[in-house]
Amino acid sequence: MNDKQKKESFLPRLARFIGDRGFTFIVLLCVAVIGITAWIFSTALESTVPKEEPSLQTRVTAPPATPFPVEEFHWMPAAVPPVQATPAPTEAPAAPEAEDASAAEEAPAAEVIATAFDWPVKGAICADYSVDALQYDRTMLDWRTHGAVDIEADLGQKVKAAADGTVERLYTDQMYGVTLVLYHGGGLRSIYCNLAGNPPVQAGDTVALGQVIGAVGSTADAENGEVNHLHFAMTLDEARVNPLDFLPEK
């Protein structure tokens, strides 16, 4: 059987098949066409409409917050090492010998204290030392204490230092006339009153025991009613003391 015969035989059969079931076939064909058309349309629509990507919130889910302790933070500057000050140069200490020499130069000389005493003039005592009992004063014509010893002597008789010492003062007292003060060290002083003018020594002179320092005069107005004498007193730390406690016994 050739191809033409086959076609002729197929066509009659198809015509008979359609004639018998024509309506049903047409309905199924329409449904298929509609379905295919709908599928094609929907596919084309999906391809033209951009798909909405899920948001970051949807795609990334943050883990639930967990409570944690909050600590107060205080900023502190980094510790800076202290700057070491460069010590100032110091002078080298002086040699011990130099220090000793300077100390010896600055140290005051040891005070010399007199230990030997003698009478400033030779003569009898005409008025005793008395600070506890009153004595009658023939010049002032009254009773009073007497803080010295009056040693009878001729006018012009030489007066000598009662001990080694230094002339501390030389002045004229309104009551006791020309007065000379010797310092003997240790706070001890001897005082010579009623001297004649112009003694041979002056303040600052160093004198020795027995050295002439003046002469008996008549310059003490408070005692010019007495016989010629030397008014001789002594003090220790500015307090009156009895000269007889220092002078040797006659």
Side-chain angles (χ1 to χ4, degrees):
M1 184 178 296
N2 55 26
D3 293 335
K4 185 177 180 179
Q5 290 177 345
K6 288 181 181 180
K7 291 178 180 181
E8 290 178 355
S9 62
F10 174 73
L11 291 176
R13 284 185 295 175
L14 179 61
R16 287 193 300 270
F17 176 79
I18 294 173
D20 295 340
R21 299 177 179 84
F23 179 77
T24 302
F25 177 77
I26 292 171
V27 171
L28 291 176
L29 183 60
C30 290
V31 171
V33 171
I34 293 172
I36 292 171
T37 302
W39 177 80
I40 292 173
F41 179 77
S42 64
T43 301
L45 184 61
E46 289 180 359
S47 62
T48 56
V49 177
K51 295 182 181 181
E52 183 180 359
E53 295 183 0
S55 63
L56 181 62
Q57 184 175 4
T58 304
R59 289 186 289 107
V60 180
T61 303
T66 57
F68 59 91
V70 178
E71 296 182 359
E72 185 177 0
F73 179 74
H74 297 281
W75 179 83
M76 294 295 292
V80 179
V83 178
Q84 297 294 333
T86 303
T90 57
E91 296 181 358
E97 294 78 4
E99 291 182 356
D100 295 342
S102 60
E105 292 177 359
E106 296 177 359
E111 185 179 46
V112 178
I113 301 175
T115 56
F117 297 88
D118 199 1
W119 291 82
V121 291
K122 302 298 182 182
I125 295 176
C126 55
D128 291 325
Y129 174 85
S130 179
V131 293
D132 298 326
L134 299 177
Q135 293 183 2
Y136 184 72
D137 189 317
R138 287 190 290 265
T139 302
M140 306 303 294
L141 302 177
D142 60 7
W143 294 83
R144 61 181 61 199
T145 59
H146 190 245
V149 291
D150 290 345
I151 306 171
E152 186 176 348
D154 296 332
L155 286 176
Q157 185 174 340
K158 294 179 180 179
V159 177
K160 301 177 181 180
D164 296 340
T166 303
V167 179
E168 188 174 72
R169 294 184 65 192
L170 180 60
Y171 63 100
T172 299
D173 186 87
Q174 292 182 351
M175 297 291 289
Y176 293 98
V178 178
T179 301
L180 185 147
V181 180
L182 292 182
Y183 181 66
H184 304 291
L188 182 65
R189 291 172 174 82
S190 59
I191 305 169
Y192 309 78
C193 302
N194 197 31
L195 296 175
N198 300 320
V201 294
Q202 58 185 354
D205 288 350
T206 299
V207 298
L209 170 65
Q211 179 178 337
V212 175
I213 57 175
V216 175
S218 59
T219 56
D221 293 337
E223 294 183 342
N224 58 13
E226 305 287 344
V227 296
N228 296 326
H229 66 278
L230 173 69
H231 183 89
F232 180 65
M234 296 187 71
T235 62
L236 180 61
D237 296 332
E238 307 298 334
R240 295 273 182 173
V241 292
N242 190 344
L244 298 182
D245 294 337
F246 296 88
L247 299 175
E249 293 183 2
K250 288 186 177 182

